Amino acid sequence: MARTCDVCGKSPMYGNKISKSFNHTHRTWRPNLLKIKTELGGTTATIKVCTRCLRSGFITKKVRVPKETPVAEK
């Protein structure tokens, strides 16, 4: 599925929204997914991770280190 965490498999949940007058309408609870660049098996991969897995430390973000630019001498 498209909206699924690649680590824990969390996916959308379906249910009913219930108003004060007890009317039922269908609704969806979607997981809070982020696209994270991480290192898997020595290669960089972009995966969808829920914020709970990211906060718990199951995945470590790959930090991009900028290249140093040579300083122009006068």
Side-chain angles (χ1 to χ4, degrees):
M1 290 181 68
R3 294 185 176 114
T4 304
C5 176
D6 291 332
V7 177
C8 66
K10 187 184 288 188
S11 59
M13 294 181 69
Y14 304 98
N16 290 318
K17 182 170 84 172
I18 304 173
S19 67
K20 289 182 181 177
S21 59
F22 213 62
N23 293 330
H24 289 64
T25 55
H26 296 294
R27 66 157 294 180
T28 303
W29 288 270
R30 294 184 180 151
N32 189 6
L33 297 178
L34 301 173
K35 287 184 179 179
I36 301 295
K37 283 189 179 182
T38 185
E39 210 164 308
L40 294 174
T43 60
T44 302
T46 302
I47 59 174
K48 287 186 220 167
V49 180
C50 66
T51 53
R52 176 65 55 110
C53 291
L54 188 63
R55 190 179 70 186
S56 298
F58 294 123
I59 294 295
T60 54
K61 282 184 169 184
K62 181 167 177 150
V63 179
R64 185 174 122 351
V65 180
K67 296 179 182 177
E68 291 189 23
T69 56
V71 179
E73 294 183 27
K74 295 181 181 180

